[in-house]
């Protein structure tokens, strides 16, 4: 089945500082318990700092400065540098540290080290220290209040209040800490009061709709316009994505989700992945399950989902877009040549331009950053109709957020976690945390952009959407072969190569896999899918060895004529079973 391809060497694009030239690393400085990376940056200053850098060089209004950034250190030194960075207005380090300290320290450990500096003796000798630590604690409380919700005692929050009351009595920080304590205690009491009350556990009621259906068999898919379908999918995706706890996206957290001990880890991230699976299942079921459809009718269904993909792209919903692309581009649907013959070539070509968006991580991410700064989608597809739609959106003042395909971001964070060691030269590898922070910061920006969506989830659509039957990998192939059977020569060839097996509950041979995959294990939506270089698999989900063997197999219908380098996989193959 279809896979996403990406470059392991891809690096998150960084925001460009208009007044500095990108720094070049020239060496390291090692001090007691801490290592700094030294780089040179060209800084503009004076009245022409908004001018191009070459202008400032010519007029003598720029200079080269050495910049030190923390690469690794002990916990004590990293917290100590937090104070120095705050004094030097290095907000980047303060922000990164408060976001990323959790993998190597607890809130209690960091707080103890920070508050050790906050005593009456130090404050009398150095009044600036009071303002510095007060600023750090204020940022911590405002931007990461979840760190202090350690119910039922809230010891860390109470520790801040005690220390501030003693060292900085009557300060604004004391008031903010007390207000937060009151808030979390009230929330705890409310949760306790709601326990055992079933009515409080029900999800909010969505907007009523005239579409009265409850199962996938009871609705004519074409009664839902593609734009309406895209709007509902986008509303669901945006709601789930905004609830994601970004810390849970880190590879050191999310990669442990499959063990029995950590089965409840990262529930908000699991919800995003499961939503992507649901969209994938919806496409697969509507395209394959009804065996009574003619090839022409099935072509209309596939074309319908291409139209939905176009609408999702216009709405900057890359999550559902990727799920639809993964389903339509998977082998059980792709091999249905008779159905694909009924789809206009221009529509197929445009669809595969969407498929190309997810093949290289750095290109996808650059596009994502570009989309996050625009009010509506950019016309990256060479299609006149798409450009006309986008032009109308701009005229109407339509503003959309941006929903990313989380699978690639989760995969990249997992890659960063496994590529870089936590400890370097006996010190905490803080450079690793900086790279991870750049990805999380992008996701935080995209979460905020989702407030621009004004779509409302309809209750009847939600019920119908979650009623979709989830097909296993084997089931999709069996249905596909029922629609367009394998030729006898292809079946014999696959049998000789060991690519077929017989399930216990069926006499029909199915693709040989190492184990039967679960119905929810869709490689298209899995965040841990690697690219062809590292997993040994092709974009269609098959191993390289299987693809090589299949090339010599008898000819079978291969699906549509696909532009560029995208080619339909050879017919006589079954899926590999990558770990999802």
């Amino acid at each position: 089945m279809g896979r996403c391809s990406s470059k392991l060497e891809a690096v998150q694009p960084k925001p460009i500082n208009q007044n500095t030239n990108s720094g070049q690393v020239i060496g390291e400085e090692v001090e007691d318990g801490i290592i700094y990376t030294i780089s040179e940056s060209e800084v503009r200053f004076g009245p022409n700092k908004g001018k191009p850098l070459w202008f400032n060089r010519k007029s003598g209004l720029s200079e080269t400065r050495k910049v030190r950034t923390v690469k690794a250190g002990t916990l004590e030194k990293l917290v100590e540098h937090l104070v120095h960075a705050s004094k030097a207005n290095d907000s980047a380090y303060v922000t990164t540290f408060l976001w990323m300290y959790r993998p190597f320290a607890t809130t209690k450990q960091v707080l103890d080290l920070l508050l050790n500096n906050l005593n009456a003796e130090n404050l009398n000798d150095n009044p600036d220290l009071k303002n510095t630590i007060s600023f750090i604690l204020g940022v911590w409380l405002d931007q990461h209040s979840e760190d202090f919700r350690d119910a039922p005692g809230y010891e860390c929050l109470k520790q801040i209040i005690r220390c501030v009351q003693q060292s900085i009595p009557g300060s604004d920080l004391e008031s903010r800490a007390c207000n937060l304590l009151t808030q979390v205690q009230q929330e705890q009491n409310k949760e306790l009061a709601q326990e055992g009350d079933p009515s409080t556990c029900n999800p909010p009621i969505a907007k009523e709709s005239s579409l009265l259906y409850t199962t996938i068999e009871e609705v004519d898919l074409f009664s839902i316009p593609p734009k309406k379908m895209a709007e509902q999918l986008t509303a669901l995706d945006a709601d789930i994505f905004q609830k994601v706890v970004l810390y849970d996206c880190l590879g050191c957290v999310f990669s442990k989700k499959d063990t029995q001990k950590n089965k409840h880890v990262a529930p908000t991230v699991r919800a995003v992945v499961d939503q992507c699976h649901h969209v994938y299942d919806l496409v697969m079921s509507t395209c394959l399950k009804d065996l009574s459809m003619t090839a022409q009718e099935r072509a209309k269904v596939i074309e319908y989902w291409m139209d939905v993909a176009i609408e999702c792209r216009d709405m900057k919903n890359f999550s559902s877009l990727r799920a639809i692309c993964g389903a339509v581009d998977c082998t059980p649907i792709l091999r249905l040549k008779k159905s694909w013959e009924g789809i206009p070539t221009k529509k197929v070509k445009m669809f595969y331009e969407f498929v190309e968006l997810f093949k290289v991580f750095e290109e996808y991410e650059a596009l994502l950053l570009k989309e996050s700064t625009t009010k509506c989608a950019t016309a990256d597809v060479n299609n006149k109709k798409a450009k006309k739609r986008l032009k109308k959106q701009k005229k109407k003042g339509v503003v959309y957020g941006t929903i990313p395909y989380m699978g690639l971001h989760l995969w990249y964070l997992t890659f960063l976690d496994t590529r870089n060691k936590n400890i370097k030269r006996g010190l905490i590898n803080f450079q690793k945390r900086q790279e991870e922070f750049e990805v999380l910061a992008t996701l935080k920006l995209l979460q905020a952009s989702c407030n621009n969506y004004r779509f409302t989830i309809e209750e009847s659509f939600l019920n119908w959407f979650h009623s979709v039957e989830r097909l296993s990998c084997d089931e999709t192939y069996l249905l596909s072969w029922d629609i367009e059977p394998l030729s006898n020569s292809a079946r014999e060839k696959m049998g000789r190569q060991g690519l077929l097996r017989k399930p216990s509950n069926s006499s029909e041979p199915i693709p040989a896999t190492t184990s039967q995959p679960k119905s929810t294990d869709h490689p298209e939506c899995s965040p841990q899918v690697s690219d062809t270089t590292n997993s040994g698999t092709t974009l269609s989900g098959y191993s390289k060895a299987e693809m090589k063997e299949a090339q010599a197999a008898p000819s079978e219908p291969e699906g549509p004529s696909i532009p560029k380098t995208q080619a339909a996989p050879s017919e006589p193959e079954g899926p590999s079973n990558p770990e999802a």
Side-chain angles (χ1 to χ4, degrees), residues 80-100:
E80 182 181 324
H81 188 76
L82 192 65
V83 177
H84 297 323
S86 181
K87 288 182 179 180
N89 295 321
D90 184 5
S91 59
Y93 180 82
V94 175
T95 303
T96 303
F97 182 89
L98 293 178
W99 269 69
M100 304 304 301

Side-chain angles (χ1 to χ4, degrees), residues 227-443:
K227 185 173 182 180
K228 181 72 173 179
M229 176 69 75
E231 288 176 354
Q232 290 298 294
L233 294 178
T234 299
L236 285 170
D237 292 342
D239 181 63
I240 296 172
F241 172 58
Q242 285 184 294
K243 295 176 182 176
V244 171
V245 177
L246 295 180
Y247 171 73
D248 289 346
C249 297
L250 292 177
C252 62
V253 178
F254 187 73
S255 61
K256 298 177 181 178
K257 69 186 186 309
D258 293 324
T259 63
Q260 184 66 22
K261 180 181 177 181
N262 300 311
K263 62 181 180 180
H264 299 300
V265 166
T268 58
V269 183
R270 287 170 178 266
V272 172
V273 176
D274 195 51
Q275 169 66 9
C276 193
H277 289 172
H278 270 298
V279 177
Y280 176 95
D281 290 326
L282 179 61
V283 179
M284 295 293 287
S285 294
T286 53
C287 289
L288 296 176
K289 197 173 180 197
D290 187 357
L291 298 179
S292 65
M293 283 195 296
T294 64
Q296 187 176 5
E297 290 171 337
R298 187 167 281 102
K300 289 182 179 179
V301 175
I302 297 174
E303 187 177 357
Y304 171 86
W305 285 113
M306 290 182 176
D307 291 334
V308 175
I310 292 171
E311 295 293 344
C312 287
R313 177 64 185 92
D314 289 349
M315 297 173 189
K316 302 196 288 186
N317 180 359
F318 292 95
S319 181
S320 287
L321 176 63
R322 179 63 186 94
I324 295 170
C325 288
V328 174
D329 191 40
C330 74
T331 304
I333 294 178
L334 194 61
R335 64 175 294 275
L336 303 177
K337 184 176 181 180
K338 294 178 181 178
S339 297
W340 282 88
E341 287 174 349
I343 303 175
T345 304
K346 289 184 179 180
K347 185 71 67 67
V348 175
K349 183 177 180 180
M350 184 176 182
F351 173 78
Y352 273 96
E353 287 177 349
F354 294 150
V355 174
E356 292 287 328
L357 294 178
F358 301 96
K359 284 192 173 181
V360 181
F361 180 77
E362 58 187 358
E363 293 179 3
Y364 156 77
E365 196 166 36
L367 173 64
L368 204 63
L369 290 174
K370 180 181 178 182
E371 295 288 2
S372 65
T373 58
T374 58
K375 294 183 178 180
C376 55
T378 54
D380 59 321
V381 179
N382 186 21
N383 184 279
K384 293 182 179 179
K385 289 184 179 180
K387 291 181 179 179
K388 286 181 179 179
R389 283 196 309 274
L390 299 178
K391 192 174 182 180
K392 287 181 180 179
Q393 287 181 8
K394 292 179 181 179
K395 285 184 178 180
K396 292 180 180 179
V398 177
V399 179
Y400 291 137
T402 304
I403 305 174
Y405 167 55
M406 284 292 289
L408 280 180
H409 295 276
L410 294 171
W411 167 82
Y412 186 60
L413 286 167
T414 301
F415 163 69
L416 288 178
D417 181 60
T418 55
R419 182 192 68 174
N420 301 318
K421 295 181 179 180
N422 294 325
I423 303 298
K424 182 176 289 187
R425 305 183 201 175
L427 305 174
I428 296 170
N429 184 1
F430 193 73
Q431 187 178 36
K432 170 181 178 177
R433 305 307 168 189
Q434 290 172 326
E435 292 180 6
E436 293 174 327
F437 168 73
E438 290 170 356
V439 182
L440 297 188
T442 299
L443 294 176

Side-chain angles (χ1 to χ4, degrees), residues 139-267:
V139 172
W140 199 355
L141 289 173
D142 292 342
Q143 298 184 8
H144 305 279
S145 61
E146 66 277 4
D147 292 0
F148 304 97
R149 298 175 183 268
D150 50 343
Y154 307 108
E155 292 301 325
C156 290
L157 191 53
K158 290 178 179 179
Q159 181 182 358
I160 292 178
I161 294 174
R162 289 194 300 268
C163 187
V164 172
Q165 286 176 340
Q166 180 181 357
S167 304
I168 323 174
S171 64
D172 177 64
L173 179 61
E174 178 186 349
S175 174
R176 287 152 68 186
C178 290
N179 289 340
L180 179 58
L181 179 61
T182 302
Q183 178 186 340
V184 295
Q185 287 176 337
Q186 289 175 347
E187 291 175 357
Q188 181 187 8
N189 294 334
K190 185 177 179 180
E191 290 175 1
L192 293 174
Q194 290 177 346
E195 283 184 2
D197 185 358
S199 61
T200 60
C201 301
N202 294 331
I205 299 176
K207 179 182 176 182
E208 290 291 339
S209 169
S210 59
L211 300 174
L212 300 177
Y213 42 81
T214 55
T215 64
I216 195 169
E217 290 84 2
E218 294 177 9
V219 64
D220 177 13
L221 187 66
F222 301 105
S223 66
I224 313 173
K227 185 173 182 180
K228 181 72 173 179
M229 176 69 75
E231 288 176 354
Q232 290 298 294
L233 294 178
T234 299
L236 285 170
D237 292 342
D239 181 63
I240 296 172
F241 172 58
Q242 285 184 294
K243 295 176 182 176
V244 171
V245 177
L246 295 180
Y247 171 73
D248 289 346
C249 297
L250 292 177
C252 62
V253 178
F254 187 73
S255 61
K256 298 177 181 178
K257 69 186 186 309
D258 293 324
T259 63
Q260 184 66 22
K261 180 181 177 181
N262 300 311
K263 62 181 180 180
H264 299 300
V265 166

